[in-house]
Amino acid sequence: MKNGFSLVEVMIAFVIILVALSAIVKVYMVSLHAGSYADNLSYATTLADAKLHTLETFSPDTPDLKASWYKDPDNPLRLNSRNFSRFWSVKDIKNAKEITVYVTWDDHKRGSSSNFGSLSDLSGSKCAKLSLKGYVLGSVNSE
């Protein structure tokens, strides 16, 4: 009777181990990307929320809330070694101003962020983005 393993058995065991290791590495890479995306989403939410709260403190008649598209003059915003860009749009609606703040960032799977000149430019981009909406009540303008 022979002791030990044959070359075929060793090769089959080696292939099984390689398949298992490649699956573990794939799961690890996906979890790294998900963690990075979650971090970026948290930073973007913080940036959008801060700007939205600032804009919501303004009087509806201030020139800063004129219906338009705005770019943050500090773009790109650097936060924890990451670049973000912040924009907002203001729309006149009945008895209020509708404010939507957008934050974009570079993501190697989704594309690069840029200093978008309009909402249609931003909408056409595949870059990672987040938007938050708020209202300033009291405007007498209507659509």
Side-chain angles (χ1 to χ4, degrees):
M1 187 173 211
K2 286 180 9 181
N3 289 337
F5 298 104
S6 71
L7 182 59
V8 172
E9 292 170 328
V10 170
M11 294 298 286
I12 290 173
F14 186 67
V15 167
I16 290 171
I17 290 170
L18 281 178
V19 168
L21 284 177
S22 67
I24 290 169
V25 168
K26 174 99 173 148
V27 167
Y28 178 72
M29 295 303 290
V30 167
S31 70
L32 277 180
H33 183 264
S36 176
Y37 183 78
D39 285 347
N40 288 337
L41 195 58
S42 293
Y43 295 137
T45 302
T46 300
L47 289 168
D49 192 52
K51 188 61 174 183
L52 185 59
H53 282 301
T54 299
L55 293 170
E56 287 175 333
T57 64
F58 293 169
S59 165
D61 298 325
T62 185
D64 293 329
L65 290 181
K66 184 180 124 206
S68 189
W69 173 258
Y70 298 90
K71 298 181 207 179
D72 195 310
D74 296 326
N75 283 346
L77 305 165
R78 192 118 173 105
L79 190 60
N80 207 21
S81 303
R82 296 175 174 133
N83 287 330
F84 296 86
S85 296
R86 184 167 53 190
F87 313 91
W88 59 94
S89 67
V90 178
K91 292 180 185 174
D92 291 327
I93 60 174
K94 187 172 175 124
N95 298 322
K97 298 279 187 169
E98 179 184 87
I99 304 165
T100 308
V101 178
Y102 304 89
V103 177
T104 64
W105 64 95
D106 294 343
D107 184 276
H108 72 278
K109 287 193 174 186
R110 291 178 177 83
S112 295
S113 175
S114 70
N115 213 6
F116 299 105
S118 69
L119 180 56
S120 60
D121 290 345
L122 174 62
S123 298
S125 169
K126 294 185 188 219
C127 72
K129 57 188 149 255
L130 164 115
S131 65
L132 293 179
K133 192 174 284 192
Y135 299 90
V136 175
L137 300 176
S139 175
V140 294
N141 298 331
S142 62
E143 279 187 49

